[in-house]
Amino acid sequence: MKIHGIFNKGLRPAAATAYLAVAMLLVGAGTAQAAPGDNPNKLTTITSSSELSKLQLVEHRVPTASLDNLASEMGTSRGVDQVLASANHSMRNAANCHSTETAALPVKPTAESAYCWDTGDAVTQDWLPQSVTSSGDADNDGAWGTNKVILSGWGQNGTTTTDHMGRIAFIDANDPSNFKYRWVLPVIPLNGGTDYRALKSHMGGMVWYQDKLIVTSWEGDADNNVMYIFDMKRILQATVNGSAVGKVSGGWSADGYQYVMPAIGSYSLAGGSCSSANDDSRPCFGSISLDRSSVPDSLVATEWFSSGGSQPARIWRYNFSSEPGYLATDSSGDVNASKAYETNAVGLQGVLSHSATSGGTPNFYVDDARGGVGQHGILWRQNTSGATAAANCGQDIMYACWGQHTESMSYWSSTGRVWTLTEWAADSAGHWTGTDNAIPQRVLFSVPLSSIDDSLN
């Protein structure tokens, strides 16, 4: 099926599911899998070829001529350095965060660093923070050129808007005492690079690897369950400050944002669209992360079910190829999962895989957000032998010690830190709200992986 001019997706529309409505189902009744807070025990390896085939991806690339045409029409491509130099939002250090924001931090282990968004982004109900990756993923020295950078993906939730766009905060992380950021709008090129549209995505997962950025999308028919690829060297500047997205009279508009990133390709499920029902069909992409301890480096993915689900969730990995930033394909151009597991953990929001030795047996760190505002989540360390979590941290569930409704996770290997972020903004009663009088509970924070392991031990 041809979608918007240049991407052959082959996707069937998935069941219509509003992301916010799904997210609010996290606090559910008991299920056939582990109940919320129950130990999920060990991972089960998936070996069935028919099951593994449900994870197969097809790669699609935007013609280089289309990308070059768009760059030619809009002007010279910008770089990450230029975006950072124009950062126009300041983040607040932990000492300047509100008490409700710092209350969302983990009880155990203690966050090593924490940052809160500027006033507008801290409480907006139009956008939800969902994902994080960094120059620590992009390069093993932790820097992009001379810069340390963190990217945070946010998606429109549909409370007061219906566009369901995604956006990315490019955070200048060079000075730990002075984080600042600029928003960039990811877009999909159209009609041979003569136009573009906004990416429809709740931005549940992002991985920056080498010079490419891979972003998950689970929103609407056009972008349903697709992983898009972006080139960090192809960032373009809008020329018109308007509410439209795309080519307009007088130039190029990006809903008021200064920069856009056009997708250079995508990965879609080989057999069709996913199902958001808790059944045994193809998975809907949840969170993704990078594992630099695997051989070769790999992208780790998980699907998300609410705690009302009845099936185990899948966690799987795709190897990266020798071509910078792309996933490894077979002779037919398909991307196959190199390893897959089932977990009985529920309500997964983030996943990390890491081995103490290169190519060794990995531990998976899975984030059970538990859903409710004011409830601390559970971070499980799970492998094929069992699962453990931090204990005795004084919560209603003694090992509910992790952050409050945290999302995806990213491991900055050169510093040994795990980065993640919390999602909510609440009203005075502690409920998620669609009004402007929200109390901020959103915080970006890091914890040393060694501290996580110490707390789990």
Side-chain angles (χ1 to χ4, degrees):
M1 163 171 78
K2 191 80 168 177
I3 296 183
H4 292 288
I6 57 176
F7 283 116
N8 291 314
K9 300 287 193 301
L11 292 179
R12 298 189 299 271
T17 305
Y19 173 69
L20 178 61
V22 174
M24 293 302 289
L25 291 174
L26 273 165
V27 186
T31 69
Q33 58 183 137
D38 284 356
N39 191 309
N41 296 312
K42 67 180 183 179
L43 293 171
T44 302
T45 304
I46 297 174
T47 58
S48 165
S49 59
S50 63
E51 291 302 310
L52 291 172
S53 68
K54 297 175 183 178
L55 309 175
Q56 188 180 70
L57 303 175
V58 178
E59 181 183 87
H60 317 273
R61 298 198 186 187
V62 179
T64 301
S66 297
L67 296 168
D68 289 345
N69 184 69
L70 184 60
S72 176
E73 290 204 20
M74 292 188 68
T76 305
S77 292
R78 311 299 181 184
V80 174
D81 294 355
Q82 290 167 293
V83 175
L84 298 181
S86 67
N88 59 345
H89 297 269
S90 295
M91 299 197 78
R92 292 168 287 128
N93 295 336
N96 296 316
C97 293
H98 298 290
S99 59
T100 54
E101 291 168 318
T102 55
L105 292 171
V107 177
K108 184 180 181 180
T110 303
E112 184 176 74
S113 62
Y115 301 90
C116 298
W117 305 93
D118 79 358
T119 302
D121 293 328
V123 299
T124 178
Q125 304 308 308
D126 290 339
W127 296 89
L128 297 176
Q130 297 293 304
S131 53
V132 64
T133 185
S134 73
S135 56
D137 281 336
D139 199 322
N140 56 15
D141 70 359
W144 180 252
T146 60
N147 287 303
K148 295 179 180 178
V149 191
I150 297 173
L151 304 183
S152 175
W154 292 45
Q156 280 183 312
N157 64 57
T159 299
T160 60
T161 59
T162 57
D163 292 334
H164 299 287
M165 295 191 301
R167 66 179 183 178
I168 303 170
F170 278 57
I171 303 171
D172 180 342
N174 288 299
D175 181 356
S177 65
N178 186 29
F179 275 23
K180 50 191 175 181
Y181 61 100
R182 161 75 74 171
W183 291 111
V184 174
L185 191 70
V187 298
I188 309 302
L190 303 176
N191 305 323
T194 60
D195 202 354
Y196 58 76
R197 65 171 177 83
L199 170 67
K200 307 287 187 178
S201 174
H202 76 281
M203 305 295 286
M206 290 196 308
V207 164
W208 181 2
Y209 183 66
Q210 298 178 343
D211 63 351
K212 304 299 190 301
L213 179 69
I214 297 179
V215 175
T216 65
S217 177
W218 178 27
E219 198 74 62
D221 293 342
D223 297 329
N224 186 273
N225 215 44
V226 178
M227 290 198 299
Y228 282 101
I229 319 164
F230 299 86
D231 189 332
M232 300 301 289
K233 298 176 181 177
R234 286 185 180 270
I235 300 173
L236 303 173
Q237 190 163 355
T239 59
V240 174
N241 184 9
S243 59
V245 177
K247 192 170 185 178
V248 297
S249 176
W252 300 85
S253 179
D255 192 36
Y257 296 98
Q258 183 173 348
Y259 296 103
V260 299
M261 286 185 71
I264 65 167
S266 66
Y267 296 102
S268 62
L269 287 168
S273 63
C274 71
S275 171
S276 57
N278 291 355
D279 56 20
D280 196 28
S281 64
R282 294 172 182 84
C284 294
F285 294 123
S287 177
I288 59 175
S289 61
L290 176 69
D291 186 356
R292 281 189 171 274
S293 68
S294 63
V295 179
D297 296 343
S298 59
L299 182 148
V300 178
T302 185
E303 62 184 332
W304 179 85
F305 291 147
S306 77
S307 56
S310 59
Q311 295 289 334
R314 285 162 287 195
I315 298 173
W316 66 101
R317 71 172 76 238
Y318 302 111
N319 291 336
F320 279 98
S321 72
S322 58
E323 185 176 8
Y326 286 99
L327 300 178
T329 58
D330 62 18
S331 58
S332 300
D334 295 326
V335 179
N336 298 299
S338 58
K339 202 77 173 180
Y341 307 88
E342 287 185 341
T343 176
N344 285 319
V346 299
L348 301 188
Q349 295 291 307
V351 61
L352 277 181
S353 170
H354 182 72
S355 172
T357 58
S358 179
T361 302
N363 283 316
F364 289 84
Y365 300 83
V366 295
D367 169 14
D368 175 358
R370 294 188 64 221
V373 173
Q375 287 187 330
H376 282 267
I378 304 169
L379 185 63
W380 297 103
R381 183 180 62 199
Q382 197 174 18
N383 52 39
T384 52
S385 298
T388 56
N392 298 318
C393 55
Q395 303 301 301
D396 53 342
I397 297 176
M398 68 176 183
Y399 44 83
C401 306
W402 194 230
Q404 293 181 11
H405 212 277
T406 55
E407 296 293 322
S408 80
M409 297 180 286
S410 176
Y411 179 58
W412 198 314
S413 59
S414 64
T415 65
R417 290 181 176 182
V418 174
W419 286 87
T420 186
L421 70 174
T422 62
E423 176 186 32
W424 295 105
D427 62 18
S428 58
H431 302 112
W432 192 93
T433 177
T435 63
D436 292 331
N437 62 344
I439 298 171
Q441 294 180 296
R442 294 171 175 163
V443 58
L444 171 73
F445 67 91
S446 72
V447 179
L449 182 60
S450 59
S451 295
I452 291 174
D453 283 333
D454 287 345
S455 72
L456 301 183
N457 291 332

